[in-house]
Amino acid sequence: GKGNIVLDLSCRKKGDSYFIVTDRWQKFTDLKINKETLHYLAEYCSEFLIHAVDVEGKQAGIDADLISIMADFSPIKSVYAGGIRSVEDIEFIEKSGRGRIAFTIGSALDIFGGTSLKYSQIVQMTKK
């Protein structure tokens, strides 16, 4: 049921809007990431995992505009993924997301070969 489903939405920016993409992030759908779409999809899941594809895996910084959309319009718990490279990025997500957005870190973590974030440091941060 809905309580056991996390919907993974991979998004790319086209013009001034973000769209859900498929097929290895190459094919744009007609679904915009906005209030209407997030409220509609929230009827079928308990959480969103939203990937900022344009910055995913690059360790070049987060997509602040997408985080703002998530914070403003997601009616359910959301997790942001993409581009996190520093403690400052995490602090931005927490502040801009008004405590409503969690995050996931990949290639920037030392346990995955990254050099900019230590796993132990992130564990300590998140315990606060």
Side-chain angles (χ1 to χ4, degrees), residues 65-96:
D65 293 336
L66 184 56
I67 291 167
S68 293
I69 291 169
M70 292 169 66
D72 291 344
F73 300 128
S74 179
I76 58 175
K77 185 174 15 173
S78 297
V79 177
Y80 171 84
I84 295 175
R85 65 175 172 197
S86 67
V87 169
E88 291 78 21
D89 285 343
I90 294 166
E91 290 169 345
F92 180 89
I93 293 167
E94 290 175 347
K95 183 178 179 185
S96 296

PDB file of all heavy atoms in Angstrom, residues 65-96:
ATOM      1  N   ASP A  65      17.122  25.685  -6.585  1.00  0.00           N
ATOM      2  CA  ASP A  65      15.761  25.926  -7.084  1.00  0.00           C
ATOM      3  C   ASP A  65      14.871  24.706  -6.875  1.00  0.00           C
ATOM      4  O   ASP A  65      13.715  24.837  -6.465  1.00  0.00           O
ATOM      5  CB  ASP A  65      15.786  26.296  -8.569  1.00  0.00           C
ATOM      6  CG  ASP A  65      16.452  27.640  -8.828  1.00  0.00           C
ATOM      7  OD1 ASP A  65      16.486  28.486  -7.910  1.00  0.00           O
ATOM      8  OD2 ASP A  65      16.947  27.835  -9.954  1.00  0.00           O
ATOM      9  N   LEU A  66      15.404  23.523  -7.140  1.00  0.00           N
ATOM     10  CA  LEU A  66      14.623  22.305  -6.947  1.00  0.00           C
ATOM     11  C   LEU A  66      14.327  22.086  -5.466  1.00  0.00           C
ATOM     12  O   LEU A  66      13.221  21.686  -5.097  1.00  0.00           O
ATOM     13  CB  LEU A  66      15.348  21.094  -7.544  1.00  0.00           C
ATOM     14  CG  LEU A  66      14.608  19.773  -7.491  1.00  0.00           C
ATOM     15  CD1 LEU A  66      13.237  19.852  -8.154  1.00  0.00           C
ATOM     16  CD2 LEU A  66      15.444  18.663  -8.127  1.00  0.00           C
ATOM     17  N   ILE A  67      15.284  22.381  -4.610  1.00  0.00           N
ATOM     18  CA  ILE A  67      15.064  22.256  -3.170  1.00  0.00           C
ATOM     19  C   ILE A  67      13.941  23.192  -2.724  1.00  0.00           C
ATOM     20  O   ILE A  67      13.087  22.814  -1.914  1.00  0.00           O
ATOM     21  CB  ILE A  67      16.376  22.526  -2.400  1.00  0.00           C
ATOM     22  CG1 ILE A  67      17.351  21.380  -2.670  1.00  0.00           C
ATOM     23  CG2 ILE A  67      16.114  22.695  -0.902  1.00  0.00           C
ATOM     24  CD1 ILE A  67      18.772  21.659  -2.243  1.00  0.00           C
ATOM     25  N   SER A  68      13.902  24.387  -3.269  1.00  0.00           N
ATOM     26  CA  SER A  68      12.821  25.333  -2.930  1.00  0.00           C
ATOM     27  C   SER A  68      11.456  24.801  -3.353  1.00  0.00           C
ATOM     28  O   SER A  68      10.483  24.916  -2.606  1.00  0.00           O
ATOM     29  CB  SER A  68      13.067  26.681  -3.603  1.00  0.00           C
ATOM     30  OG  SER A  68      14.202  27.294  -3.057  1.00  0.00           O
ATOM     31  N   ILE A  69      11.386  24.213  -4.522  1.00  0.00           N
ATOM     32  CA  ILE A  69      10.121  23.628  -4.987  1.00  0.00           C
ATOM     33  C   ILE A  69       9.687  22.512  -4.050  1.00  0.00           C
ATOM     34  O   ILE A  69       8.524  22.422  -3.658  1.00  0.00           O
ATOM     35  CB  ILE A  69      10.258  23.117  -6.441  1.00  0.00           C
ATOM     36  CG1 ILE A  69      10.420  24.295  -7.398  1.00  0.00           C
ATOM     37  CG2 ILE A  69       9.054  22.253  -6.831  1.00  0.00           C
ATOM     38  CD1 ILE A  69      10.830  23.901  -8.807  1.00  0.00           C
ATOM     39  N   MET A  70      10.622  21.666  -3.678  1.00  0.00           N
ATOM     40  CA  MET A  70      10.314  20.572  -2.756  1.00  0.00           C
ATOM     41  C   MET A  70       9.787  21.121  -1.430  1.00  0.00           C
ATOM     42  O   MET A  70       8.782  20.644  -0.901  1.00  0.00           O
ATOM     43  CB  MET A  70      11.561  19.717  -2.511  1.00  0.00           C
ATOM     44  CG  MET A  70      12.030  18.933  -3.718  1.00  0.00           C
ATOM     45  SD  MET A  70      13.679  18.191  -3.483  1.00  0.00           S
ATOM     46  CE  MET A  70      13.342  16.993  -2.185  1.00  0.00           C
ATOM     47  N   ALA A  71      10.488  22.101  -0.876  1.00  0.00           N
ATOM     48  CA  ALA A  71      10.109  22.664   0.422  1.00  0.00           C
ATOM     49  C   ALA A  71       8.746  23.347   0.366  1.00  0.00           C
ATOM     50  O   ALA A  71       7.954  23.245   1.303  1.00  0.00           O
ATOM     51  CB  ALA A  71      11.173  23.646   0.892  1.00  0.00           C
ATOM     52  N   ASP A  72       8.482  24.042  -0.722  1.00  0.00           N
ATOM     53  CA  ASP A  72       7.231  24.792  -0.840  1.00  0.00           C
ATOM     54  C   ASP A  72       6.021  23.916  -1.145  1.00  0.00           C
ATOM     55  O   ASP A  72       4.919  24.218  -0.692  1.00  0.00           O
ATOM     56  CB  ASP A  72       7.350  25.857  -1.932  1.00  0.00           C
ATOM     57  CG  ASP A  72       8.289  26.988  -1.563  1.00  0.00           C
ATOM     58  OD1 ASP A  72       8.617  27.132  -0.359  1.00  0.00           O
ATOM     59  OD2 ASP A  72       8.718  27.719  -2.479  1.00  0.00           O
ATOM     60  N   PHE A  73       6.214  22.835  -1.900  1.00  0.00           N
ATOM     61  CA  PHE A  73       5.049  22.145  -2.447  1.00  0.00           C
ATOM     62  C   PHE A  73       4.855  20.681  -2.079  1.00  0.00           C
ATOM     63  O   PHE A  73       3.776  20.144  -2.282  1.00  0.00           O
ATOM     64  CB  PHE A  73       5.058  22.256  -3.977  1.00  0.00           C
ATOM     65  CG  PHE A  73       5.022  23.678  -4.462  1.00  0.00           C
ATOM     66  CD1 PHE A  73       5.955  24.124  -5.379  1.00  0.00           C
ATOM     67  CD2 PHE A  73       4.076  24.570  -3.998  1.00  0.00           C
ATOM     68  CE1 PHE A  73       5.932  25.431  -5.839  1.00  0.00           C
ATOM     69  CE2 PHE A  73       4.046  25.884  -4.443  1.00  0.00           C
ATOM     70  CZ  PHE A  73       4.976  26.319  -5.361  1.00  0.00           C
ATOM     71  N   SER A  74       5.862  20.012  -1.550  1.00  0.00           N
ATOM     72  CA  SER A  74       5.666  18.595  -1.248  1.00  0.00           C
ATOM     73  C   SER A  74       4.808  18.430   0.004  1.00  0.00           C
ATOM     74  O   SER A  74       5.166  18.930   1.070  1.00  0.00           O
ATOM     75  CB  SER A  74       6.997  17.888  -1.041  1.00  0.00           C
ATOM     76  OG  SER A  74       6.751  16.523  -0.739  1.00  0.00           O
ATOM     77  N   PRO A  75       3.699  17.707  -0.117  1.00  0.00           N
ATOM     78  CA  PRO A  75       2.837  17.507   1.053  1.00  0.00           C
ATOM     79  C   PRO A  75       3.284  16.330   1.932  1.00  0.00           C
ATOM     80  O   PRO A  75       2.694  16.103   2.983  1.00  0.00           O
ATOM     81  CB  PRO A  75       1.480  17.216   0.421  1.00  0.00           C
ATOM     82  CG  PRO A  75       1.813  16.537  -0.857  1.00  0.00           C
ATOM     83  CD  PRO A  75       3.091  17.183  -1.343  1.00  0.00           C
ATOM     84  N   ILE A  76       4.305  15.604   1.487  1.00  0.00           N
ATOM     85  CA  ILE A  76       4.784  14.444   2.244  1.00  0.00           C
ATOM     86  C   ILE A  76       6.300  14.551   2.416  1.00  0.00           C
ATOM     87  O   ILE A  76       6.954  15.409   1.822  1.00  0.00           O
ATOM     88  CB  ILE A  76       4.421  13.107   1.542  1.00  0.00           C
ATOM     89  CG1 ILE A  76       5.004  13.051   0.134  1.00  0.00           C
ATOM     90  CG2 ILE A  76       2.907  12.893   1.535  1.00  0.00           C
ATOM     91  CD1 ILE A  76       4.791  11.722  -0.590  1.00  0.00           C
ATOM     92  N   LYS A  77       6.832  13.639   3.201  1.00  0.00           N
ATOM     93  CA  LYS A  77       8.270  13.600   3.439  1.00  0.00           C
ATOM     94  C   LYS A  77       9.004  13.486   2.101  1.00  0.00           C
ATOM     95  O   LYS A  77       8.590  12.748   1.217  1.00  0.00           O
ATOM     96  CB  LYS A  77       8.597  12.404   4.325  1.00  0.00           C
ATOM     97  CG  LYS A  77      10.037  12.327   4.730  1.00  0.00           C
ATOM     98  CD  LYS A  77      10.412  11.248   5.714  1.00  0.00           C
ATOM     99  CE  LYS A  77       9.439  10.159   5.951  1.00  0.00           C
ATOM    100  NZ  LYS A  77       9.959   9.070   6.795  1.00  0.00           N
ATOM    101  N   SER A  78      10.110  14.239   1.997  1.00  0.00           N
ATOM    102  CA  SER A  78      10.899  14.228   0.765  1.00  0.00           C
ATOM    103  C   SER A  78      12.375  14.096   1.081  1.00  0.00           C
ATOM    104  O   SER A  78      12.853  14.614   2.085  1.00  0.00           O
ATOM    105  CB  SER A  78      10.684  15.518  -0.025  1.00  0.00           C
ATOM    106  OG  SER A  78       9.365  15.649  -0.441  1.00  0.00           O
ATOM    107  N   VAL A  79      13.086  13.437   0.173  1.00  0.00           N
ATOM    108  CA  VAL A  79      14.526  13.281   0.278  1.00  0.00           C
ATOM    109  C   VAL A  79      15.138  13.851  -0.999  1.00  0.00           C
ATOM    110  O   VAL A  79      14.716  13.507  -2.102  1.00  0.00           O
ATOM    111  CB  VAL A  79      14.928  11.794   0.443  1.00  0.00           C
ATOM    112  CG1 VAL A  79      16.444  11.653   0.489  1.00  0.00           C
ATOM    113  CG2 VAL A  79      14.280  11.197   1.679  1.00  0.00           C
ATOM    114  N   TYR A  80      16.143  14.704  -0.846  1.00  0.00           N
ATOM    115  CA  TYR A  80      16.834  15.318  -1.973  1.00  0.00           C
ATOM    116  C   TYR A  80      18.123  14.542  -2.257  1.00  0.00           C
ATOM    117  O   TYR A  80      18.852  14.172  -1.334  1.00  0.00           O
ATOM    118  CB  TYR A  80      17.180  16.776  -1.657  1.00  0.00           C
ATOM    119  CG  TYR A  80      18.090  17.394  -2.689  1.00  0.00           C
ATOM    120  CD1 TYR A  80      17.572  17.935  -3.856  1.00  0.00           C
ATOM    121  CD2 TYR A  80      19.474  17.401  -2.524  1.00  0.00           C
ATOM    122  CE1 TYR A  80      18.407  18.476  -4.821  1.00  0.00           C
ATOM    123  CE2 TYR A  80      20.315  17.938  -3.480  1.00  0.00           C
ATOM    124  CZ  TYR A  80      19.771  18.467  -4.626  1.00  0.00           C
ATOM    125  OH  TYR A  80      20.588  18.996  -5.595  1.00  0.00           O
ATOM    126  N   ALA A  81      18.426  14.358  -3.529  1.00  0.00           N
ATOM    127  CA  ALA A  81      19.677  13.715  -3.949  1.00  0.00           C
ATOM    128  C   ALA A  81      20.256  14.494  -5.122  1.00  0.00           C
ATOM    129  O   ALA A  81      19.542  14.838  -6.055  1.00  0.00           O
ATOM    130  CB  ALA A  81      19.412  12.271  -4.373  1.00  0.00           C
ATOM    131  N   GLY A  82      21.551  14.758  -5.051  1.00  0.00           N
ATOM    132  CA  GLY A  82      22.223  15.352  -6.196  1.00  0.00           C
ATOM    133  C   GLY A  82      23.163  16.487  -5.868  1.00  0.00           C
ATOM    134  O   GLY A  82      22.759  17.518  -5.348  1.00  0.00           O
ATOM    135  N   GLY A  83      24.449  16.271  -6.155  1.00  0.00           N
ATOM    136  CA  GLY A  83      25.434  17.341  -6.125  1.00  0.00           C
ATOM    137  C   GLY A  83      25.979  17.739  -4.775  1.00  0.00           C
ATOM    138  O   GLY A  83      26.814  18.640  -4.701  1.00  0.00           O
ATOM    139  N   ILE A  84      25.533  17.100  -3.701  1.00  0.00           N
ATOM    140  CA  ILE A  84      26.021  17.504  -2.378  1.00  0.00           C
ATOM    141  C   ILE A  84      27.528  17.296  -2.315  1.00  0.00           C
ATOM    142  O   ILE A  84      28.031  16.224  -2.611  1.00  0.00           O
ATOM    143  CB  ILE A  84      25.314  16.715  -1.266  1.00  0.00           C
ATOM    144  CG1 ILE A  84      23.825  17.060  -1.260  1.00  0.00           C
ATOM    145  CG2 ILE A  84      25.950  17.007   0.088  1.00  0.00           C
ATOM    146  CD1 ILE A  84      22.996  16.237  -0.282  1.00  0.00           C
ATOM    147  N   ARG A  85      28.234  18.358  -1.906  1.00  0.00           N
ATOM    148  CA  ARG A  85      29.694  18.276  -1.865  1.00  0.00           C
ATOM    149  C   ARG A  85      30.296  18.835  -0.587  1.00  0.00           C
ATOM    150  O   ARG A  85      31.507  18.756  -0.392  1.00  0.00           O
ATOM    151  CB  ARG A  85      30.285  19.033  -3.048  1.00  0.00           C
ATOM    152  CG  ARG A  85      30.003  20.518  -2.965  1.00  0.00           C
ATOM    153  CD  ARG A  85      30.657  21.310  -4.042  1.00  0.00           C
ATOM    154  NE  ARG A  85      30.148  22.687  -3.939  1.00  0.00           N
ATOM    155  CZ  ARG A  85      30.251  23.563  -4.874  1.00  0.00           C
ATOM    156  NH1 ARG A  85      30.863  23.261  -5.985  1.00  0.00           N
ATOM    157  NH2 ARG A  85      29.766  24.768  -4.707  1.00  0.00           N
ATOM    158  N   SER A  86      29.461  19.445   0.269  1.00  0.00           N
ATOM    159  CA  SER A  86      30.025  20.082   1.453  1.00  0.00           C
ATOM    160  C   SER A  86      29.004  20.139   2.587  1.00  0.00           C
ATOM    161  O   SER A  86      27.803  19.962   2.374  1.00  0.00           O
ATOM    162  CB  SER A  86      30.459  21.516   1.117  1.00  0.00           C
ATOM    163  OG  SER A  86      29.315  22.308   0.818  1.00  0.00           O
ATOM    164  N   VAL A  87      29.518  20.429   3.767  1.00  0.00           N
ATOM    165  CA  VAL A  87      28.651  20.629   4.922  1.00  0.00           C
ATOM    166  C   VAL A  87      27.740  21.830   4.672  1.00  0.00           C
ATOM    167  O   VAL A  87      26.570  21.826   5.058  1.00  0.00           O
ATOM    168  CB  VAL A  87      29.505  20.824   6.202  1.00  0.00           C
ATOM    169  CG1 VAL A  87      28.658  21.294   7.366  1.00  0.00           C
ATOM    170  CG2 VAL A  87      30.239  19.536   6.540  1.00  0.00           C
ATOM    171  N   GLU A  88      28.249  22.824   3.981  1.00  0.00           N
ATOM    172  CA  GLU A  88      27.441  24.012   3.671  1.00  0.00           C
ATOM    173  C   GLU A  88      26.238  23.652   2.799  1.00  0.00           C
ATOM    174  O   GLU A  88      25.151  24.205   2.979  1.00  0.00           O
ATOM    175  CB  GLU A  88      28.299  25.084   2.987  1.00  0.00           C
ATOM    176  CG  GLU A  88      29.327  25.726   3.897  1.00  0.00           C
ATOM    177  CD  GLU A  88      30.568  24.865   4.140  1.00  0.00           C
ATOM    178  OE1 GLU A  88      30.857  23.959   3.328  1.00  0.00           O
ATOM    179  OE2 GLU A  88      31.244  25.097   5.150  1.00  0.00           O
ATOM    180  N   ASP A  89      26.421  22.720   1.870  1.00  0.00           N
ATOM    181  CA  ASP A  89      25.292  22.258   1.053  1.00  0.00           C
ATOM    182  C   ASP A  89      24.222  21.624   1.941  1.00  0.00           C
ATOM    183  O   ASP A  89      23.030  21.876   1.767  1.00  0.00           O
ATOM    184  CB  ASP A  89      25.746  21.238   0.006  1.00  0.00           C
ATOM    185  CG  ASP A  89      26.490  21.863  -1.155  1.00  0.00           C
ATOM    186  OD1 ASP A  89      26.400  23.088  -1.359  1.00  0.00           O
ATOM    187  OD2 ASP A  89      27.169  21.099  -1.876  1.00  0.00           O
ATOM    188  N   ILE A  90      24.653  20.817   2.887  1.00  0.00           N
ATOM    189  CA  ILE A  90      23.709  20.151   3.790  1.00  0.00           C
ATOM    190  C   ILE A  90      22.990  21.179   4.659  1.00  0.00           C
ATOM    191  O   ILE A  90      21.766  21.115   4.840  1.00  0.00           O
ATOM    192  CB  ILE A  90      24.441  19.109   4.658  1.00  0.00           C
ATOM    193  CG1 ILE A  90      24.969  17.987   3.763  1.00  0.00           C
ATOM    194  CG2 ILE A  90      23.528  18.567   5.756  1.00  0.00           C
ATOM    195  CD1 ILE A  90      25.972  17.083   4.436  1.00  0.00           C
ATOM    196  N   GLU A  91      23.719  22.142   5.157  1.00  0.00           N
ATOM    197  CA  GLU A  91      23.114  23.197   5.970  1.00  0.00           C
ATOM    198  C   GLU A  91      22.107  24.000   5.153  1.00  0.00           C
ATOM    199  O   GLU A  91      21.055  24.395   5.654  1.00  0.00           O
ATOM    200  CB  GLU A  91      24.189  24.101   6.550  1.00  0.00           C
ATOM    201  CG  GLU A  91      25.008  23.403   7.621  1.00  0.00           C
ATOM    202  CD  GLU A  91      26.253  24.173   8.052  1.00  0.00           C
ATOM    203  OE1 GLU A  91      26.671  25.123   7.334  1.00  0.00           O
ATOM    204  OE2 GLU A  91      26.811  23.810   9.103  1.00  0.00           O
ATOM    205  N   PHE A  92      22.416  24.236   3.876  1.00  0.00           N
ATOM    206  CA  PHE A  92      21.484  24.943   3.001  1.00  0.00           C
ATOM    207  C   PHE A  92      20.189  24.148   2.848  1.00  0.00           C
ATOM    208  O   PHE A  92      19.096  24.710   2.911  1.00  0.00           O
ATOM    209  CB  PHE A  92      22.116  25.195   1.625  1.00  0.00           C
ATOM    210  CG  PHE A  92      21.203  25.919   0.690  1.00  0.00           C
ATOM    211  CD1 PHE A  92      21.185  27.304   0.654  1.00  0.00           C
ATOM    212  CD2 PHE A  92      20.341  25.218  -0.150  1.00  0.00           C
ATOM    213  CE1 PHE A  92      20.319  27.979  -0.192  1.00  0.00           C
ATOM    214  CE2 PHE A  92      19.474  25.879  -1.000  1.00  0.00           C
ATOM    215  CZ  PHE A  92      19.458  27.275  -1.025  1.00  0.00           C
ATOM    216  N   ILE A  93      20.315  22.847   2.635  1.00  0.00           N
ATOM    217  CA  ILE A  93      19.124  22.000   2.493  1.00  0.00           C
ATOM    218  C   ILE A  93      18.284  22.061   3.759  1.00  0.00           C
ATOM    219  O   ILE A  93      17.053  22.225   3.695  1.00  0.00           O
ATOM    220  CB  ILE A  93      19.513  20.541   2.170  1.00  0.00           C
ATOM    221  CG1 ILE A  93      20.142  20.458   0.784  1.00  0.00           C
ATOM    222  CG2 ILE A  93      18.300  19.613   2.269  1.00  0.00           C
ATOM    223  CD1 ILE A  93      20.832  19.138   0.495  1.00  0.00           C
ATOM    224  N   GLU A  94      18.920  21.961   4.903  1.00  0.00           N
ATOM    225  CA  GLU A  94      18.184  21.986   6.165  1.00  0.00           C
ATOM    226  C   GLU A  94      17.489  23.327   6.380  1.00  0.00           C
ATOM    227  O   GLU A  94      16.332  23.377   6.794  1.00  0.00           O
ATOM    228  CB  GLU A  94      19.121  21.656   7.325  1.00  0.00           C
ATOM    229  CG  GLU A  94      19.562  20.197   7.301  1.00  0.00           C
ATOM    230  CD  GLU A  94      20.594  19.857   8.358  1.00  0.00           C
ATOM    231  OE1 GLU A  94      21.173  20.785   8.977  1.00  0.00           O
ATOM    232  OE2 GLU A  94      20.812  18.653   8.574  1.00  0.00           O
ATOM    233  N   LYS A  95      18.193  24.427   6.084  1.00  0.00           N
ATOM    234  CA  LYS A  95      17.614  25.762   6.285  1.00  0.00           C
ATOM    235  C   LYS A  95      16.542  26.064   5.246  1.00  0.00           C
ATOM    236  O   LYS A  95      15.420  26.437   5.584  1.00  0.00           O
ATOM    237  CB  LYS A  95      18.710  26.824   6.232  1.00  0.00           C
ATOM    238  CG  LYS A  95      18.191  28.210   6.500  1.00  0.00           C
ATOM    239  CD  LYS A  95      19.309  29.229   6.491  1.00  0.00           C
ATOM    240  CE  LYS A  95      18.724  30.619   6.737  1.00  0.00           C
ATOM    241  NZ  LYS A  95      19.730  31.661   6.628  1.00  0.00           N
ATOM    242  N   SER A  96      16.872  25.908   3.974  1.00  0.00           N
ATOM    243  CA  SER A  96      15.918  26.214   2.898  1.00  0.00           C
ATOM    244  C   SER A  96      14.727  25.267   2.914  1.00  0.00           C
ATOM    245  O   SER A  96      13.625  25.649   2.566  1.00  0.00           O
ATOM    246  CB  SER A  96      16.599  26.151   1.536  1.00  0.00           C
ATOM    247  OG  SER A  96      17.586  27.138   1.452  1.00  0.00           O
TER     248      SER A  96
END
